[in-house]
Amino acid sequence: GSEVGGACKRKRSPQRASKRIRRRPLRDPALSVLLERVLEEDKLLLTTHRTPDPDGLGAELAMQAMLQWRGKDAIIVNPEPAPERIRFVDPERRALDMRNMKDRSLLDGRAIVILDNSDLRRIDDLQSYILEDKSNLIIIDHHDGMQADQKSIFAFPNCGSSCEIVYELLEIAGFTMNPAIAAALYAGIVADTGNFRYRKTTARTHEIAAKLLRFGVNPADMAEKIFENTPLARLLLKKKLYSNLIIEQGRLAYFKVRKEDLEALGLSMEDTEGLVNELIESESILTGILFTERQPQLTKVSVRSRGNTNMLAAVQKFGGGGHKNACGATLYMDIDAAVKEFVPEALRCLDEC
């Protein structure tokens, strides 16, 4: 048989050819280079950013399954455990929490594969296992603004999720899909495409999702687990946030979440996930920002924007990154100082859009 995207040699009449649905183009050749690079290693440590999300976790699980199928020693170790509400993605708890590892000798001598993240600061102490020349580092990500070298950094910014990238690798490798890995990949794709709503959702995204559904994934159940199963206390938090909502110039809105507010309601950082998306539901608001106090001198900034409103420049000034419509940064200052520093920069960015 011909390769994917290859031309069929059999002659067809012009009339028949005109009715034929065109095959999708060949995959990005960087995918094959990436697969070859990963398979050069025998011992690998897979990780993602702190506070793992379904995309990072699903990509790790699928990558580990493929590598172990190829006879590799591959482990998953994350800087933090996955939030409780998304642990259904990893029912067998394959992802280890570095903070709870007493014997870390298991981590030595491995290639470090970072999925869904290119910011080394976001893997915390795992940075210490990256060699000085970074020869044991492999970054696989779909966020914008990365400079790929196809040696240690592999960027696929046209993909809607890291799980799409890993699916392509599995398909190239000839991995036999199973229900557990299909569910993990589907969860990541649904989460990072906003249930197929975001701008990076493509025909190929839907093709991959359709293939995964054939393994018994329940799309309604998956969407409910990812987007709807939240505690009642989150509703009370939203009540407080909306009572203190700030709107600037009729086009930018922001919330501030203080650590004491979360603690008073028995909530954690993970319970703020997705709140920023609500800010851009109004057609006049082009940019929404959520400022979350992680520590007294550490503030997480999450940004969402509409259409062609590109906010990457604003977060990149503070060492952040992401996509033009979904990005963020960590500011090493108290939450009020972070608001004072970041909001003017966001407004300048809006002026330039």
Side-chain angles (χ1 to χ4, degrees), residues 138-305:
I138 304 172
I139 292 174
I140 305 170
D141 200 2
H142 70 113
H143 293 99
D144 297 330
M146 294 172 55
Q147 297 298 317
D149 58 18
Q150 295 194 20
K151 293 180 181 178
S152 62
I153 302 176
F154 293 84
F156 303 89
N158 292 326
C159 288
S161 64
S162 292
C163 280
E164 290 177 50
I165 301 169
V166 175
Y167 176 88
E168 299 285 15
L169 295 178
L170 267 58
E171 198 169 84
I172 295 170
F175 177 80
T176 302
M177 187 61 65
N178 61 65
I181 297 304
L185 287 170
Y186 188 85
I189 292 170
V190 166
D192 252 42
T193 61
N195 214 5
F196 308 101
R197 291 185 299 117
Y198 297 158
R199 293 174 68 85
K200 286 191 176 184
T201 304
T202 65
R204 181 56 177 165
T205 306
H206 286 284
E207 287 175 6
I208 293 171
K211 292 182 180 184
L212 297 174
L213 288 175
R214 295 189 182 107
F215 289 87
V217 177
N218 184 324
D221 180 62
M222 189 69 74
E224 181 179 328
K225 286 178 178 177
I226 293 172
F227 299 112
E228 298 174 9
N229 284 354
T230 60
L232 176 61
R234 176 179 157 110
L235 198 58
L236 298 176
L237 174 64
K238 289 168 69 172
K239 177 184 176 182
K240 182 178 180 66
L241 291 177
Y242 277 108
S243 68
N244 294 289
L245 172 67
I246 304 294
I247 298 176
E248 297 278 358
Q249 300 179 7
R251 54 184 181 154
L252 181 150
Y254 67 85
F255 289 141
K256 290 193 295 184
V257 179
R258 298 183 184 277
K259 192 176 181 183
E260 62 189 38
D261 295 333
L262 294 175
E263 292 173 347
L265 291 168
L267 297 174
S268 62
M269 278 287 295
E270 68 188 71
D271 294 306
T272 66
E273 188 70 29
L275 289 176
V276 66
N277 297 320
E278 297 182 16
L279 292 172
I280 57 171
E281 290 177 358
S282 170
E283 62 180 359
S284 62
I285 300 298
L286 300 178
T287 297
I289 308 170
L290 176 65
F291 295 92
T292 311
E293 181 185 51
R294 292 182 66 99
Q295 299 295 337
Q297 291 295 317
L298 195 155
T299 303
K300 179 183 177 184
V301 181
S302 300
V303 184
R304 297 294 183 271
S305 63

Side-chain angles (χ1 to χ4, degrees), residues 67 80 98 117 148 157 159 180 197 227 259 287 312 316 334 353:
L67 290 169
E80 293 178 349
M98 185 181 183
N117 172 41
C159 288
R197 291 185 299 117
F227 299 112
K259 192 176 181 183
T287 297
L312 261 180
Q316 286 174 339
D334 68 70
C353 287

Side-chain angles (χ1 to χ4, degrees), residues 18 50 87 94 134 157 179 203 300 324 336:
S18 66
R50 67 173 78 96
R87 290 186 188 177
R94 290 182 172 273
K134 297 185 179 179
K300 179 183 177 184
K324 75 173 187 177
D336 294 315

Side-chain angles (χ1 to χ4, degrees), residues 9-26:
K9 300 300 183 183
R10 182 163 55 91
K11 291 183 179 180
R12 298 184 298 272
S13 68
Q15 183 179 7
R16 182 177 179 184
S18 66
K19 294 180 180 179
R20 186 177 179 84
I21 297 174
R22 186 177 299 174
R23 294 188 183 194
R24 72 181 183 87
L26 285 168

Side-chain angles (χ1 to χ4, degrees), residues 39-155:
L39 292 178
E40 287 175 359
E41 304 290 342
D42 291 319
K43 297 178 64 179
L44 306 98
L45 186 158
L46 312 180
T47 192
T48 187
H49 47 76
R50 67 173 78 96
T51 315
D53 60 17
D55 191 33
L57 190 57
E60 290 176 315
L61 292 166
M63 180 70 84
Q64 182 191 46
M66 185 273 290
L67 290 169
Q68 291 180 341
W69 169 69
R70 293 295 294 262
K72 307 296 183 179
D73 177 359
I75 60 174
I76 300 172
V77 182
N78 289 330
E80 293 178 349
E84 184 65 37
R85 61 188 296 263
I86 69 159
R87 290 186 188 177
F88 70 90
V89 178
D90 181 20
E92 296 181 4
R93 301 294 186 267
R94 290 182 172 273
L96 305 176
D97 176 7
M98 185 181 183
R99 300 179 307 178
N100 293 332
M101 294 184 70
K102 294 180 180 179
D103 180 10
R104 296 188 176 181
S105 61
L106 180 67
L107 313 183
D108 294 332
R110 294 179 180 272
I112 308 299
V113 182
I114 306 176
L115 294 140
D116 197 41
N117 172 41
S118 60
D119 185 350
L120 298 185
R121 294 171 298 181
R122 297 182 72 198
I123 65 170
D124 296 340
D125 293 345
L126 284 166
Q127 292 180 71
S128 63
Y129 293 89
I130 300 173
L131 299 178
E132 189 172 347
D133 63 1
K134 297 185 179 179
S135 59
N136 71 329
L137 174 64
I138 304 172
I139 292 174
I140 305 170
D141 200 2
H142 70 113
H143 293 99
D144 297 330
M146 294 172 55
Q147 297 298 317
D149 58 18
Q150 295 194 20
K151 293 180 181 178
S152 62
I153 302 176
F154 293 84

